Amino acid sequence: MSRTRDAESTRSEILRVAFDEIYKHGFQATSVNGIVAKTNVTKGAFFHYFPTKNDLGYALADEVLRDMMLNRWVRPLNAYRNPVQGMVKTYKKLMEATTDQELSLGCPLNNLTQEMSAVDPVFRDKLRDVLQTWIDETEKHLRKARDDGYLRPNVDPRMAAEFAVMVEEGSFAVLKNLGDRKVYRSLYQGFREFMESISSKRNLDL
Amino acid sequence: MSRTRDAESTRSEILRVAFDEIYKHGFQATSVNGIVAKTNVTKGAFFHYFPTKNDLGYALADEVLRDMMLNRWVRPLNAYRNPVQGMVKTYKKLMEATTDQELSLGCPLNNLTQEMSAVDPVFRDKLRDVLQTWIDETEKHLRKARDDGYLRPNVDPRMAAEFAVMVEEGSFAVLKNLGDRKVYRSLYQGFREFMESISSKRNLDL
């Protein structure tokens, strides 16, 4: 029992440190030695959990990035009766909670995709899967919104989910590229405008 | 006269070849030797025009990427009386004209920004300037649209320009990351929905 728990916490510690290093410096510029030096773990233990640096990268995509995306963009929607309102409020909260350093670093999923998709097809497929899940889960909430009468009847939940996720992801990319967090207000206003236009409610109480 | 013309065409040839190589392989993975080998130019001549590889990169940003952005997204708007209609039609035309290879490579401005902004602040500022000009020029068209009564009176042309450029840029990023060009239809429909929602006209004739 306890040994399993220790193993899990060692593995999690490696993943947590690796995420921070790779988010700041990129996957290729981060070395196993650099990660090990920031943990209480030996290099032997590292290779026990992750036989290669790529295995570590795959686990980051499958577990850390996927969970982070769900925690940030999808799970908060459960707290809202109207998912359309939930999406607009979640976007605003996330933008406001993002530090200047995070804004200048951009979205970790987009960064890793840009860096590694052309280099390694396994990586590409795993990162794609996170983005796809983001769209699929958003679609489920929008489908529920439609069934509950919160969407205009002619709105396709899949279309709206694909566009909304593009806005969520594209906003972080553009804010990083511009280096001007004030622009977030326009991006929020635009996203809100779009969500209101597909909504059946006049007042989203935002 | 003729010598000036030759010099200009040599410089243009280098820039054109360099753009293709860097678009396909990235800036850091492209060597001066590799570029020279694909032109009729000697290495000496290359260094006459571009003393360092970075100088070449700066010229790509200032000239090629800037001009490409204007030709693709801004100049076509002059053909439309209603800039709102022009933006939606231009988006659609560009998406449809983009080859599968270009879609999988993504937007050259976004790629270079992702690769080089953290590495070199001069690069970062020049690429930012292209993105800023994209927004500024779009704003001019939307300001004209408002003056001519094509926008709802309470719409801020700056807000709309910042959001629209994010959609234009973010769409290419997401289509690249997903590797599925069919999603463009949803992105187009979402963009159109947004543009219609800020428009004073019911029928944009799209």
Side-chain angles (χ1 to χ4, degrees), chain A:
Chain A
M1 250 317 256
S2 162
R3 195 175 293 176
T4 310
R5 209 158 48 224
D6 283 357
E8 268 173 26
S9 91
T10 302
R11 193 171 176 283
S12 305
E13 186 192 354
I14 297 171
L15 283 175
R16 190 174 44 70
V17 170
F19 173 82
D20 283 348
E21 290 298 298
I22 290 167
Y23 184 35
K24 280 184 198 137
H25 307 294
F27 184 76
Q28 291 172 103
T30 299
S31 69
V32 170
N33 286 337
I35 295 168
V36 167
K38 299 217 165 182
T39 63
N40 293 313
V41 171
T42 64
K43 205 164 165 181
F46 179 98
F47 285 118
H48 168 72
Y49 293 107
F50 306 106
T52 69
K53 193 175 123 186
N54 274 11
D55 291 315
L56 168 78
Y58 302 157
L60 275 181
D62 285 340
E63 300 167 42
V64 182
L65 287 176
R66 186 185 172 85
D67 209 50
M68 186 174 281
M69 174 278 289
L70 292 171
N71 279 337
R72 291 167 65 89
W73 294 104
V74 178
R75 291 180 182 131
L77 304 182
N78 293 325
Y80 296 87
R81 191 187 300 266
N82 178 353
V84 180
Q85 184 200 44
M87 286 171 68
V88 178
K89 287 204 168 183
T90 299
Y91 179 97
K92 190 176 189 198
K93 275 187 192 165
L94 279 174
M95 282 290 173
E96 286 173 353
T98 301
T99 65
D100 285 347
Q101 197 203 8
E102 286 165 344
L103 267 193
S104 75
L105 288 169
C107 165
L109 174 62
N110 189 42
N111 293 355
L112 206 52
T113 304
Q114 281 277 347
E115 186 187 0
M116 295 307 294
S117 282
V119 180
D120 180 331
V122 180
F123 237 131
R124 184 198 60 207
D125 291 346
K126 286 180 181 294
L127 295 164
R128 238 169 225 182
D129 196 62
V130 178
L131 185 55
Q132 199 63 64
T133 304
W134 188 349
I135 296 171
D136 292 344
E137 293 299 312
T138 303
E139 181 187 355
K140 281 183 202 158
H141 283 276
L142 285 170
R143 204 166 280 284
K144 192 172 163 295
R146 197 192 50 185
D147 294 346
D148 293 347
Y150 291 113
L151 286 191
R152 282 189 355 236
N154 62 337
V155 171
D156 174 4
R158 183 72 190 174
M159 175 291 283
E162 288 175 339
F163 186 76
V165 170
M166 183 277 289
V167 168
E168 292 164 353
E169 182 72 325
S171 295
F172 277 89
V174 161
L175 288 174
K176 173 187 176 176
N177 291 356
L178 275 177
D180 179 2
R181 80 173 299 143
K182 291 191 305 299
V183 172
Y184 123 76
R185 288 197 213 107
S186 298
L187 304 183
Y188 167 71
Q189 223 177 309
F191 183 51
R192 179 178 165 163
E193 185 78 54
F194 168 76
M195 294 303 288
E196 283 175 338
S197 82
I198 65 169
S199 175
S200 61
K201 306 278 167 206
R202 279 294 163 104
N203 184 0
L204 281 173
D205 190 21
L206 294 167

Side-chain angles (χ1 to χ4, degrees), chain B residues 146-202:
Chain B
R146 197 192 49 186
D147 294 346
D148 293 347
Y150 290 114
L151 286 191
R152 283 191 354 238
N154 63 337
V155 171
D156 173 2
R158 182 72 190 174
M159 176 288 284
E162 288 174 340
F163 186 75
V165 170
M166 183 278 289
V167 168
E168 292 164 353
E169 182 71 325
S171 296
F172 277 89
V174 162
L175 289 174
K176 173 187 177 178
N177 291 355
L178 275 177
D180 179 2
R181 81 175 296 143
K182 291 192 305 300
V183 173
Y184 123 77
R185 287 197 212 105
S186 299
L187 304 184
Y188 167 72
Q189 225 177 305
F191 183 51
R192 179 177 166 164
E193 186 77 52
F194 168 75
M195 293 303 286
E196 283 175 338
S197 83
I198 65 169
S199 175
S200 61
K201 306 279 167 206
R202 279 292 163 105

